[in-house]
Amino acid sequence: MNYWLMKTEPDVFSIDDLYNKPKKTEPWDGVRNYQARNFMRDEMKKGDMVLFYHSNAKAETGVAGVAIVAKESYPDFTSWDKKSKYFDPKSSEDKPRWFMVDVKYKKKFKRIVTLSEIKENKRLKDMRLIQKGNRLSILPVKKSEFDEILKMSEK
DNA sequence: GCCAACGTTGGC
DNA sequence: GCCAACGTTGGC
């Protein structure tokens, strides 16, 4: 099993929004970065665990909870929907360029594990999230890092 | 709102 | 294939 961190802006789609979806499940659409796409297309498997990260948050930036991969990658249909803001003329139903997975709500932390706490925790110093210049919206996480963040959320 | 650190596009 | 210009991400 693999572990991941997925970023979302809570103003756009928060952990509460995921909770309120039918079946608490939602397609992770709109990823338009090749590295992030490749993670979803090639490596994310059903049952993988996801740290649900609130970026650019008005309140607190950090990990807000846990989700689980509910469906493995399939073409991101918003990429050939002309009305979608994620429309990409180079993607088609015949030749999809972009892919997504479905994620399902697992739990909301009692409190946000903030980015600054993560930076301060020596056990998390190698997390790709806090490497310089990292802007990837989907990142692999080690099991030890995943467990550490879970532990921090309980404190 | 600013801006550093990217990634992408397109002319050549 | 190079690289300048442009667009985006995301912390602050």
Side-chain angles (χ1 to χ4, degrees):
Chain A
M1 183 196 287
N2 291 316
Y3 298 85
W4 306 94
L5 181 144
M6 296 173 92
K7 295 180 186 173
T8 170
E9 298 192 29
D11 289 350
V12 179
F13 190 76
S14 71
I15 187 114
D16 293 320
D17 294 328
L18 181 61
Y19 180 82
N20 288 320
K21 288 289 170 182
K23 298 185 187 171
K24 300 183 170 35
T25 302
E26 183 74 355
W28 202 267
D29 61 8
V31 171
R32 296 292 178 268
N33 170 284
Y34 290 105
Q35 262 185 284
R37 177 204 68 181
N38 293 348
F39 283 140
M40 287 199 290
R41 188 189 59 188
D42 305 334
E43 296 187 45
M44 289 182 97
K45 298 297 174 199
K46 192 172 176 180
D48 281 0
M49 304 293 277
V50 175
L51 294 173
F52 196 101
Y53 181 87
H54 283 178
S55 67
N56 253 325
K58 284 201 185 73
E60 285 183 304
T61 291
V63 180
V66 175
I68 188 162
V69 177
K71 181 178 177 183
E72 289 176 21
S73 76
Y74 58 106
D76 181 345
F77 48 76
T78 65
S79 69
W80 57 70
D81 176 0
K82 284 192 173 131
K83 284 175 287 184
S84 170
K85 65 173 174 170
Y86 299 125
F87 174 68
D88 179 353
K90 291 173 181 160
S91 184
S92 66
E93 285 189 65
D94 289 343
K95 279 192 161 185
R97 169 176 290 209
W98 302 111
F99 290 80
M100 59 189 175
V101 299
D102 285 358
V103 298
K104 182 175 185 181
Y105 175 92
K106 179 87 174 166
K107 75 187 279 192
K108 181 181 175 177
F109 288 164
K110 285 180 281 189
R111 62 180 198 86
I112 301 255
V113 176
T114 64
L115 180 60
S116 57
E117 286 178 79
I118 291 170
K119 285 178 177 167
E120 282 166 16
N121 189 328
K122 286 192 181 119
R123 290 192 204 89
L124 301 177
K125 68 177 165 46
D126 292 328
M127 271 189 89
R128 290 187 60 175
L129 176 69
I130 54 175
Q131 304 306 311
K132 190 182 175 187
N134 176 63
R135 298 186 324 179
L136 264 186
S137 60
I138 299 177
L139 296 166
V141 172
K142 295 195 196 93
K143 181 176 192 310
S144 59
E145 295 163 347
F146 184 90
D147 291 343
E148 180 68 18
I149 290 195
L150 240 62
K151 210 183 347 167
M152 289 163 79
S153 76
E154 297 290 333
K155 280 182 189 159

